[in-house]
Short mmCIF file of all heavy atoms in Angstrom, two decimals:
data_model
loop_
_atom_site.label_atom_id
_atom_site.label_comp_id
_atom_site.label_asym_id
_atom_site.label_seq_id
_atom_site.Cartn_x
_atom_site.Cartn_y
_atom_site.Cartn_z
N ALA A 64 257.77 89.04 383.62
CA ALA A 64 257.90 90.06 382.57
C ALA A 64 257.58 89.52 381.18
O ALA A 64 257.83 90.21 380.20
CB ALA A 64 259.31 90.66 382.59
N VAL A 65 257.04 88.31 381.10
CA VAL A 65 256.71 87.77 379.76
C VAL A 65 255.72 88.67 379.05
O VAL A 65 255.84 88.93 377.84
CB VAL A 65 256.17 86.33 379.87
CG1 VAL A 65 255.70 85.83 378.50
CG2 VAL A 65 257.24 85.39 380.42
N ALA A 66 254.73 89.17 379.78
CA ALA A 66 253.73 90.03 379.15
C ALA A 66 254.35 91.34 378.68
O ALA A 66 253.81 91.99 377.77
CB ALA A 66 252.58 90.31 380.13
N TRP A 67 255.45 91.75 379.30
CA TRP A 67 256.17 92.95 378.83
C TRP A 67 256.99 92.62 377.59
O TRP A 67 257.08 93.40 376.65
CB TRP A 67 257.07 93.48 379.95
CG TRP A 67 258.05 94.50 379.50
CD1 TRP A 67 257.83 95.84 379.32
CD2 TRP A 67 259.42 94.28 379.15
NE1 TRP A 67 258.97 96.46 378.89
CE2 TRP A 67 259.97 95.52 378.77
CE3 TRP A 67 260.25 93.17 379.11
CZ2 TRP A 67 261.29 95.67 378.37
CZ3 TRP A 67 261.57 93.32 378.72
CH2 TRP A 67 262.07 94.55 378.35
N LEU A 68 257.63 91.46 377.59
CA LEU A 68 258.54 91.07 376.51
C LEU A 68 257.80 90.61 375.25
O LEU A 68 258.21 90.92 374.13
CB LEU A 68 259.46 89.97 377.02
CG LEU A 68 260.37 89.22 376.06
CD1 LEU A 68 261.64 88.80 376.80
CD2 LEU A 68 259.70 87.97 375.51
N TRP A 69 256.70 89.87 375.44
CA TRP A 69 256.06 89.22 374.30
C TRP A 69 255.64 90.18 373.17
O TRP A 69 255.84 89.87 371.99
CB TRP A 69 254.85 88.39 374.75
CG TRP A 69 254.20 87.69 373.61
CD1 TRP A 69 254.57 86.51 373.05
CD2 TRP A 69 253.11 88.17 372.83
NE1 TRP A 69 253.77 86.21 371.99
CE2 TRP A 69 252.86 87.21 371.82
CE3 TRP A 69 252.30 89.31 372.88
CZ2 TRP A 69 251.84 87.36 370.89
CZ3 TRP A 69 251.29 89.45 371.95
CH2 TRP A 69 251.06 88.49 370.98
N PRO A 70 255.07 91.35 373.49
CA PRO A 70 254.69 92.23 372.37
C PRO A 70 255.85 92.63 371.48
O PRO A 70 255.65 92.95 370.31
CB PRO A 70 254.08 93.46 373.08
CG PRO A 70 253.61 92.93 374.39
CD PRO A 70 254.61 91.90 374.78
N LYS A 71 257.06 92.60 372.01
CA LYS A 71 258.22 92.96 371.20
C LYS A 71 258.69 91.80 370.34
O LYS A 71 259.32 92.00 369.30
CB LYS A 71 259.37 93.43 372.11
CG LYS A 71 259.02 94.64 372.98
CD LYS A 71 260.11 94.88 374.02
CE LYS A 71 259.73 96.03 374.96
NZ LYS A 71 259.76 97.34 374.31
N TRP A 72 258.42 90.55 370.79
CA TRP A 72 258.90 89.38 370.06
C TRP A 72 257.78 88.61 369.35
O TRP A 72 258.00 88.03 368.30
CB TRP A 72 259.63 88.44 371.03
CG TRP A 72 260.98 88.94 371.43
CD1 TRP A 72 261.67 89.98 370.87
CD2 TRP A 72 261.81 88.43 372.47
NE1 TRP A 72 262.88 90.16 371.49
CE2 TRP A 72 263.00 89.22 372.48
CE3 TRP A 72 261.69 87.41 373.40
CZ2 TRP A 72 264.03 89.00 373.38
CZ3 TRP A 72 262.72 87.19 374.30
CH2 TRP A 72 263.88 87.98 374.28
N GLN A 73 256.59 88.57 369.95
CA GLN A 73 255.42 87.91 369.35
C GLN A 73 255.75 86.50 368.84
O GLN A 73 255.42 86.15 367.70
CB GLN A 73 254.84 88.77 368.23
CG GLN A 73 254.30 90.09 368.74
CD GLN A 73 253.40 90.77 367.74
OE1 GLN A 73 252.38 90.21 367.33
NE2 GLN A 73 253.77 91.97 367.32
N CYS A 74 256.38 85.71 369.68
CA CYS A 74 256.71 84.34 369.33
C CYS A 74 255.95 83.40 370.26
O CYS A 74 255.36 83.83 371.26
CB CYS A 74 258.22 84.11 369.46
SG CYS A 74 258.86 84.41 371.12
N PRO A 75 255.91 82.10 369.96
CA PRO A 75 255.25 81.16 370.87
C PRO A 75 255.90 81.16 372.25
O PRO A 75 257.12 81.31 372.38
CB PRO A 75 255.45 79.80 370.18
CG PRO A 75 255.71 80.12 368.75
CD PRO A 75 256.42 81.44 368.75
N VAL A 76 255.06 81.00 373.28
CA VAL A 76 255.53 80.89 374.67
C VAL A 76 255.10 79.52 375.16
O VAL A 76 253.90 79.23 375.24
CB VAL A 76 254.94 81.99 375.57
CG1 VAL A 76 255.42 81.83 377.00
CG2 VAL A 76 255.29 83.38 375.03
N TYR A 77 256.07 78.66 375.48
CA TYR A 77 255.78 77.29 375.91
C TYR A 77 255.87 77.20 377.43
O TYR A 77 256.86 77.63 378.03
CB TYR A 77 256.75 76.31 375.27
CG TYR A 77 256.64 76.26 373.76
CD1 TYR A 77 257.53 76.97 372.96
CD2 TYR A 77 255.64 75.52 373.14
CE1 TYR A 77 257.43 76.95 371.57
CE2 TYR A 77 255.53 75.47 371.76
CZ TYR A 77 256.42 76.20 370.98
OH TYR A 77 256.32 76.16 369.61
N ALA A 78 254.83 76.64 378.06
CA ALA A 78 254.81 76.54 379.52
C ALA A 78 253.95 75.35 379.93
O ALA A 78 253.02 74.97 379.22
CB ALA A 78 254.27 77.82 380.14
N THR A 79 254.27 74.79 381.10
CA THR A 79 253.45 73.72 381.65
C THR A 79 252.11 74.31 382.11
O THR A 79 251.97 75.53 382.23
CB THR A 79 254.19 73.03 382.80
OG1 THR A 79 254.65 74.01 383.73
CG2 THR A 79 255.37 72.23 382.27
N PRO A 80 251.09 73.47 382.37
CA PRO A 80 249.72 73.98 382.56
C PRO A 80 249.58 75.06 383.62
O PRO A 80 248.87 76.06 383.40
CB PRO A 80 248.93 72.72 382.94
CG PRO A 80 249.64 71.62 382.23
CD PRO A 80 251.11 71.99 382.31
N LEU A 81 250.23 74.91 384.79
CA LEU A 81 250.08 75.91 385.85
C LEU A 81 250.70 77.24 385.43
O LEU A 81 250.07 78.30 385.56
CB LEU A 81 250.72 75.40 387.14
CG LEU A 81 250.68 76.37 388.33
CD1 LEU A 81 249.26 76.74 388.69
CD2 LEU A 81 251.40 75.76 389.54
N ALA A 82 251.92 77.21 384.92
CA ALA A 82 252.57 78.45 384.48
C ALA A 82 251.79 79.08 383.34
O ALA A 82 251.64 80.31 383.26
CB ALA A 82 254.01 78.17 384.05
N ALA A 83 251.25 78.24 382.43
CA ALA A 83 250.46 78.76 381.31
C ALA A 83 249.19 79.45 381.82
O ALA A 83 248.80 80.51 381.32
CB ALA A 83 250.10 77.63 380.35
N GLY A 84 248.55 78.87 382.85
CA GLY A 84 247.36 79.50 383.41
C GLY A 84 247.65 80.84 384.04
O GLY A 84 246.89 81.80 383.89
N LEU A 85 248.78 80.94 384.74
CA LEU A 85 249.17 82.21 385.35
C LEU A 85 249.51 83.24 384.28
O LEU A 85 249.17 84.43 384.41
CB LEU A 85 250.36 81.99 386.28
CG LEU A 85 250.11 81.06 387.47
CD1 LEU A 85 251.41 80.75 388.19
CD2 LEU A 85 249.11 81.69 388.43
#
Side-chain angles (χ1 to χ4, degrees):
V65 174
W67 167 82
L68 171 149
W69 181 83
K71 300 170 184 290
W72 285 349
Q73 296 196 59
C74 60
V76 179
Y77 297 99
T79 51
L81 178 59
L85 297 171

